[in-house]
CSV table of all heavy atoms in Angstrom, one decimal:
chain,number,residue,atom,x,y,z
A,130,TYR,N,9.0,244.8,221.5
A,130,TYR,CA,8.2,243.8,222.3
A,130,TYR,C,7.1,243.2,221.6
A,130,TYR,O,6.6,243.7,220.6
A,130,TYR,CB,7.7,244.5,223.6
A,130,TYR,CG,8.8,245.0,224.5
A,130,TYR,CD1,9.3,246.3,224.4
A,130,TYR,CD2,9.3,244.1,225.5
A,130,TYR,CE1,10.3,246.7,225.3
A,130,TYR,CE2,10.3,244.5,226.3
A,130,TYR,CZ,10.8,245.8,226.2
A,130,TYR,OH,11.8,246.3,227.1
A,131,MET,N,6.6,242.0,222.2
A,131,MET,CA,5.5,241.4,221.6
A,131,MET,C,4.3,241.7,222.6
A,131,MET,O,4.5,241.3,223.8
A,131,MET,CB,5.6,239.9,221.4
A,131,MET,CG,4.4,239.2,220.9
A,131,MET,SD,4.6,237.5,220.6
A,131,MET,CE,4.4,236.9,222.3
A,132,LEU,N,3.3,242.3,222.2
A,132,LEU,CA,2.1,242.5,223.1
A,132,LEU,C,1.0,241.5,222.7
A,132,LEU,O,0.6,241.5,221.6
A,132,LEU,CB,1.5,243.9,223.0
A,132,LEU,CG,0.3,244.2,223.7
A,132,LEU,CD1,0.5,244.1,225.2
A,132,LEU,CD2,-0.2,245.6,223.4
A,133,PHE,N,0.7,240.6,223.6
A,133,PHE,CA,-0.2,239.6,223.4
A,133,PHE,C,-1.2,239.7,224.5
A,133,PHE,O,-1.0,239.0,225.5
A,133,PHE,CB,0.5,238.2,223.3
A,133,PHE,CG,-0.3,237.1,222.6
A,133,PHE,CD1,0.4,236.0,222.2
A,133,PHE,CD2,-1.6,237.2,222.3
A,133,PHE,CE1,-0.3,235.0,221.6
A,133,PHE,CE2,-2.3,236.2,221.7
A,133,PHE,CZ,-1.6,235.1,221.2
A,134,GLU,N,-2.3,240.4,224.3
A,134,GLU,CA,-3.1,240.8,225.5
A,134,GLU,C,-3.9,239.7,226.1
A,134,GLU,O,-4.2,239.7,227.2
A,134,GLU,CB,-4.0,241.9,225.0
A,134,GLU,CG,-3.2,243.2,224.7
A,134,GLU,CD,-4.1,244.4,224.5
A,134,GLU,OE1,-4.6,244.5,223.3
A,134,GLU,OE2,-4.4,245.2,225.4
A,135,ASN,N,-4.3,238.7,225.3
A,135,ASN,CA,-5.1,237.6,225.8
A,135,ASN,C,-4.9,236.4,224.9
A,135,ASN,O,-5.8,236.1,224.1
A,135,ASN,CB,-6.5,238.0,225.9
A,135,ASN,CG,-7.3,237.0,226.7
A,135,ASN,OD1,-6.8,236.0,227.3
A,135,ASN,ND2,-8.6,237.2,226.8
A,136,PRO,N,-3.8,235.6,225.1
A,136,PRO,CA,-3.6,234.5,224.2
A,136,PRO,C,-4.8,233.5,224.3
A,136,PRO,O,-5.1,232.9,223.3
A,136,PRO,CB,-2.3,233.8,224.8
A,136,PRO,CG,-1.6,234.9,225.5
A,136,PRO,CD,-2.7,235.8,226.1
A,137,ASN,N,-5.3,233.3,225.5
A,137,ASN,CA,-6.5,232.4,225.7
A,137,ASN,C,-6.3,231.0,225.1
A,137,ASN,O,-7.1,230.4,224.5
A,137,ASN,CB,-7.7,233.0,225.0
A,137,ASN,CG,-9.0,232.5,225.5
A,137,ASN,OD1,-9.0,232.0,226.6
A,137,ASN,ND2,-10.1,232.6,224.7
A,138,CYS,N,-5.0,230.5,225.3
A,138,CYS,CA,-4.7,229.2,224.9
A,138,CYS,C,-5.5,228.1,225.6
A,138,CYS,O,-5.8,228.3,226.8
A,138,CYS,CB,-3.2,228.8,225.0
A,138,CYS,SG,-2.2,230.0,224.1
A,139,THR,N,-5.8,227.0,225.0
A,139,THR,CA,-6.5,225.9,225.7
A,139,THR,C,-5.6,224.9,226.3
A,139,THR,O,-6.0,224.2,227.2
A,139,THR,CB,-7.4,225.1,224.6
A,139,THR,OG1,-6.6,224.5,223.7
A,139,THR,CG2,-8.4,226.1,223.9
A,140,GLY,N,-4.3,224.9,225.9
A,140,GLY,CA,-3.3,224.0,226.4
A,140,GLY,C,-2.9,222.9,225.5
A,140,GLY,O,-2.0,222.2,225.7
A,141,THR,N,-3.7,222.7,224.4
A,141,THR,CA,-3.4,221.7,223.5
A,141,THR,C,-2.5,222.2,222.3
A,141,THR,O,-2.0,221.3,221.5
A,141,THR,CB,-4.7,221.1,222.9
A,141,THR,OG1,-5.4,222.1,222.2
A,141,THR,CG2,-5.5,220.5,224.0
A,142,GLU,N,-2.4,223.5,222.2
A,142,GLU,CA,-1.6,224.0,221.1
A,142,GLU,C,-0.2,223.9,221.2
A,142,GLU,O,0.4,223.8,222.3
A,142,GLU,CB,-1.9,225.6,221.0
A,142,GLU,CG,-3.3,226.0,220.8
A,142,GLU,CD,-4.1,226.2,222.1
A,142,GLU,OE1,-3.5,225.9,223.2
A,142,GLU,OE2,-5.2,226.6,222.1
A,143,ASN,N,0.6,223.8,220.1
A,143,ASN,CA,2.1,223.7,220.1
A,143,ASN,C,2.7,225.0,219.6
A,143,ASN,O,3.8,225.1,219.5
A,143,ASN,CB,2.6,222.5,219.3
A,143,ASN,CG,2.3,221.2,219.9
A,143,ASN,OD1,2.5,221.1,221.2
A,143,ASN,ND2,1.8,220.2,219.2
A,144,SER,N,1.8,226.0,219.3
A,144,SER,CA,2.3,227.3,218.8
A,144,SER,C,1.3,228.3,219.3
A,144,SER,O,0.1,228.1,219.4
A,144,SER,CB,2.2,227.3,217.3
A,144,SER,OG,2.5,228.6,216.8
A,145,LEU,N,1.9,229.5,219.7
A,145,LEU,CA,1.0,230.6,220.0
A,145,LEU,C,0.1,231.0,219.0
A,145,LEU,O,-0.9,231.5,219.2
A,145,LEU,CB,1.9,231.8,220.4
A,145,LEU,CG,2.6,231.8,221.8
A,145,LEU,CD1,3.5,233.0,221.9
A,145,LEU,CD2,1.5,232.0,222.9
A,146,PHE,N,0.5,230.8,217.7
A,146,PHE,CA,-0.3,231.2,216.6
A,146,PHE,C,-1.5,230.4,216.3
A,146,PHE,O,-2.3,230.6,215.4
A,146,PHE,CB,0.6,231.3,215.4
A,146,PHE,CG,1.7,232.3,215.5
A,146,PHE,CD1,3.0,231.8,215.5
A,146,PHE,CD2,1.5,233.7,215.8
A,146,PHE,CE1,4.1,232.7,215.6
A,146,PHE,CE2,2.5,234.5,216.0
A,146,PHE,CZ,3.8,234.0,215.9
A,147,ASN,N,-1.6,229.3,217.2
A,147,ASN,CA,-2.8,228.4,217.1
A,147,ASN,C,-3.8,228.8,218.2
A,147,ASN,O,-4.9,228.2,218.3
A,147,ASN,CB,-2.4,226.9,217.2
A,147,ASN,CG,-1.6,226.5,216.0
A,147,ASN,OD1,-1.8,227.0,214.9
A,147,ASN,ND2,-0.7,225.5,216.2
A,148,CYS,N,-3.4,229.7,219.1
A,148,CYS,CA,-4.3,230.0,220.2
A,148,CYS,C,-5.4,231.0,219.7
A,148,CYS,O,-5.1,231.7,218.8
A,148,CYS,CB,-3.5,230.7,221.3
A,148,CYS,SG,-2.3,229.7,222.1
A,149,PRO,N,-6.6,230.9,220.3
A,149,PRO,CA,-7.7,231.7,219.9
A,149,PRO,C,-7.4,233.2,219.9
A,149,PRO,O,-7.9,234.0,219.1
A,149,PRO,CB,-8.8,231.4,220.9
A,149,PRO,CG,-8.5,230.0,221.4
A,149,PRO,CD,-7.0,229.9,221.4
A,150,GLY,N,-6.6,233.6,220.8
A,150,GLY,CA,-6.3,235.1,220.9
A,150,GLY,C,-5.2,235.6,220.0
A,150,GLY,O,-4.8,236.8,220.1
A,151,LYS,N,-4.8,234.7,219.0
A,151,LYS,CA,-3.8,235.2,218.1
A,151,LYS,C,-4.1,236.5,217.3
A,151,LYS,O,-3.2,237.2,216.9
A,151,LYS,CB,-3.4,234.1,217.1
A,151,LYS,CG,-4.6,233.8,216.1
A,151,LYS,CD,-4.3,232.7,215.2
A,151,LYS,CE,-5.5,232.4,214.3
A,151,LYS,NZ,-5.4,231.1,213.7
A,152,ILE,N,-5.3,236.9,217.2
A,152,ILE,CA,-5.7,238.1,216.5
A,152,ILE,C,-5.3,239.3,217.3
A,152,ILE,O,-5.3,240.4,216.8
A,152,ILE,CB,-7.2,238.2,216.2
A,152,ILE,CG1,-8.0,238.1,217.5
A,152,ILE,CG2,-7.6,237.1,215.2
A,152,ILE,CD1,-9.5,238.4,217.3
A,153,ASN,N,-4.9,239.2,218.6
A,153,ASN,CA,-4.6,240.3,219.4
A,153,ASN,C,-3.0,240.5,219.6
A,153,ASN,O,-2.5,241.3,220.3
A,153,ASN,CB,-5.0,240.0,220.9
A,153,ASN,CG,-6.5,239.9,221.0
A,153,ASN,OD1,-7.2,240.6,220.3
A,153,ASN,ND2,-7.0,238.9,221.8
Side-chain angles (χ1 to χ4, degrees):
Y130 290 95
M131 179 178 80
L132 175 61
F133 201 163
E134 294 186 278
N135 191 4
N137 201 25
C138 300
T139 64
T141 60
E142 303 90 352
N143 287 316
S144 169
L145 279 172
F146 302 116
N147 294 331
C148 295
K151 68 184 175 193
I152 60 171
N153 298 320

